[in-house]
Amino acid sequence: MIRLILAASMAVVLSLPARAEINIQEVTSPSGLEAWLVEEQSIPFLALELRFQGGAGLDAPGKRGAINLMTALLEEGAGEMSSQDFAIAVESLAAEFRFSVNDDSLSISAKMLTENRDAAVALLREALVAPRFDQEAIDRVRAQVVSSIQSDAKDPDAIASQTFQALAFGEHPYGTVKDGTVESVTALTRDDLVEAKGRVLARDRLFVSAVGDISADDLAALLDTLLTDLPAEGAPMPPHVEYALDGGITVVDFDTPQSVISFGQSGMTRDDPDFFPAYVMMQILGGGGFSSRLMEEVREKRGLTYGIGAYLYPMDLAEMIVGSVSTVNSRVGETVQVVQAEWERLAADGVTAEELDRAQTYLTGAYPLRFDGNGRIANILVGMQMDGLSTDYILTRNDKIRAVTVDDIKRVASERILPEQLHFVVVGQPEGLNPTN
């Protein structure tokens, strides 16, 4: 019955009108923990988002994959509860906990009914503070991770992405895979996982948002109940790393009739004054749908692929502009030439007024549609905090998009789009290329 109530509540949330005018409250707990809150009392339901900055990038030297494996084990038993007992307890409360990690952050998404909130928070606290890391669970989840690593080693998409990152960032965590290698993951011990937890699950790199049926006072108390027993400080953050790739083509031989291509160049930070002109510019060059230049030139005019895209990729510690495309081996050379030509055209000529108007209409119209549920709103709010944005960003973002001019994009394109730096990693058996390394 509780599960049916939660399902009905979620249906109500997801049927609410798209909301971009959201009242965000800044909450501070008695112990000093901070969070953003959007109160929504129309249904008895809460979405809670926790984000620990650093993520898998905080792996200790020689322990690559430890934080990824540790994250997967947080729901595999806690305190006095075995893995099965913990799962049953979460299910009985109609709660939902999701744990995920990348090289910039470890994320925990929690959803719970108001009537079960205290019990659900107590369960989540056990997972964060006292995970069991039983050997049986370690061995089982480790096997799943190893299987995923072995699968990626045969996946041209994964190979292309991983090769590009390795060439761009070398020995920095961005240059290696968060899952680790078969060898590094196989060597991890329970002590390594305990140590990995302390490196990342700490209060000094924590961002929190809550959306739903909870008051500011109740959220403040919840924060202290849930989080004060975590360590005050985690491991030092990795350093910023410069994008290290020059222009050229790298080919990874792989026996497949269709090549996968990752391409990119250096990018810009999220707080760069030119971010919004660049953001709109990249929507025109390589955004989703069929209206981008790359889709028009590569797919519509020449039929070289089913899909292609390119976008700004500002990470916490590095910045790129990246894209990807797949095509049959016999047409790889032509595809690379077209992408290169579009990079050069954008750098030289900028965009047209018609293209700008179309992109602005799409970007401003699509933005409110992101706010279609408590969980998605909570996720957006945490991302805003991590990007250093203010609580009024939701109200001002579309104005920043509309303020971009053709001249803004022409200037940014001439300064930031670098055809001579554009590098392609091709995985397959391509024809018509002259690899540079």
Side-chain angles (χ1 to χ4, degrees):
M1 177 60 70
I2 293 176
R3 180 64 64 182
L4 292 175
I5 294 172
L6 179 59
S9 299
M10 286 298 293
V12 172
V13 172
L14 295 174
S15 67
L16 291 174
R19 296 171 289 176
E21 295 187 10
I22 292 173
N23 179 31
I24 302 173
Q25 303 176 59
E26 298 183 66
V27 176
T28 302
S29 77
S31 72
L33 295 168
E34 298 178 349
W36 285 7
L37 167 65
V38 174
E39 255 186 278
E40 174 54 68
Q41 298 181 340
S42 60
I43 57 171
F45 169 77
L46 174 68
L48 184 68
E49 190 76 21
L50 310 176
R51 198 74 54 83
F52 293 87
Q53 192 170 28
L58 296 172
D59 274 331
K63 305 294 181 182
R64 194 57 166 144
I67 290 176
N68 178 68
L69 180 58
M70 180 276 299
T71 303
L73 287 161
L74 289 176
E75 58 185 332
E76 296 288 341
E80 298 299 318
M81 290 174 287
S82 67
S83 177
Q84 184 176 8
D85 292 338
F86 186 84
I88 291 172
V90 174
E91 176 73 19
S92 69
L93 295 172
E96 180 181 295
F97 304 148
R98 292 185 179 178
F99 305 86
S100 61
V101 69
N102 59 40
D103 277 329
D104 280 336
S105 63
L106 189 156
S107 301
I108 300 163
S109 303
K111 297 174 183 177
M112 59 198 73
L113 295 172
T114 302
E115 66 182 279
N116 296 333
R117 189 171 66 216
D118 290 346
V121 168
L123 272 179
L124 182 57
R125 178 193 171 279
E126 287 290 285
L128 298 180
V129 174
R132 289 172 64 97
F133 298 141
D134 290 333
Q135 192 60 49
E136 179 277 330
I138 293 173
D139 293 341
R140 172 168 42 81
V141 177
R142 188 204 320 265
Q144 295 168 359
V145 172
V146 167
S147 177
S148 177
I149 294 170
Q150 292 171 332
S151 177
D152 283 348
K154 302 174 184 178
D155 180 353
D157 290 283
I159 295 169
S161 176
Q162 292 171 11
T163 301
F164 192 96
Q165 296 277 117
L167 292 171
F169 301 118
E171 295 302 313
H172 190 274
Y174 287 163
T176 58
V177 181
K178 70 174 177 61
D179 291 359
T181 64
V182 171
E183 293 75 20
S184 69
V185 174
T186 300
L188 293 172
T189 66
R190 185 182 187 280
D191 288 343
D192 293 330
L193 301 177
V194 172
E195 199 263 347
K197 174 184 171 298
R199 295 182 70 84
V200 63
L201 292 183
R203 301 195 307 274
D204 66 332
R205 72 272 324 275
L206 173 64
F207 298 85
V208 183
S209 66
V211 180
D213 182 26
I214 192 170
S215 68
D217 288 343
D218 287 344
L219 177 60
L222 182 156
L223 295 175
D224 282 353
T225 297
L226 180 61
L227 300 165
T228 51
D229 288 332
L230 291 176
E233 297 181 357
M237 293 290 178
H240 187 275
V241 58
E242 294 297 325
Y243 176 91
L245 262 177
D246 294 323
I249 300 171
T250 299
V251 173
V252 179
D253 184 67
F254 192 84
D255 187 11
T256 176
Q258 179 166 284
S259 290
V260 173
I261 307 169
S262 290
F263 56 91
Q265 62 154 86
S266 60
M268 64 172 59
T269 61
R270 180 61 181 80
D271 60 357
D272 191 293
D274 286 329
F275 178 82
F276 277 98
Y279 179 65
V280 178
M281 173 186 73
M282 291 307 300
Q283 175 65 28
I284 294 168
L285 176 64
F290 291 92
S291 62
S292 76
R293 287 185 175 183
L294 290 177
M295 281 290 282
E296 173 69 18
E297 297 296 328
V298 178
R299 172 175 170 160
E300 296 302 303
K301 288 185 177 180
R302 296 172 176 85
L304 296 171
T305 186
Y306 286 110
I308 183 172
Y311 54 93
L312 295 176
Y313 189 19
M315 300 173 285
D316 285 357
L317 304 171
E319 306 81 39
M320 296 191 293
I321 297 174
V322 294
S324 63
V325 62
S326 300
T327 191
V328 294
N329 287 329
S330 62
R331 306 194 73 181
V332 171
E334 182 182 1
T335 301
V336 167
Q337 289 173 5
V338 173
V339 173
Q340 184 76 37
E342 288 307 306
W343 232 257
E344 293 170 355
R345 179 162 74 104
L346 180 60
D349 302 331
V351 302
T352 68
E354 180 182 357
E355 287 176 318
L356 174 59
D357 181 69
R358 187 166 60 238
Q360 289 171 321
T361 299
Y362 171 77
L363 291 172
T364 56
Y367 187 60
L369 302 180
R370 300 181 187 179
F371 300 85
D372 64 352
N374 289 9
R376 291 193 67 182
I377 296 171
N379 186 60
I380 290 169
L381 297 188
V382 165
M384 288 169 56
Q385 293 176 63
M386 294 190 72
D387 285 339
L389 302 174
S390 61
T391 56
D392 68 349
Y393 173 79
I394 293 172
L395 300 178
T396 63
R397 181 263 193 190
N398 276 357
D399 291 337
K400 292 180 172 68
I401 296 289
R402 296 186 188 99
V404 174
T405 67
V406 169
D407 287 342
D408 291 332
I409 293 180
K410 184 173 179 59
R411 175 183 57 80
V412 171
S414 67
E415 296 172 355
R416 304 300 187 105
I417 294 296
L418 307 172
E420 73 281 359
Q421 194 190 79
L422 188 60
H423 196 97
F424 297 83
V425 171
V426 183
V427 178
Q429 295 181 331
E431 300 174 20
L433 290 180
N434 293 309
T436 55
N437 62 336

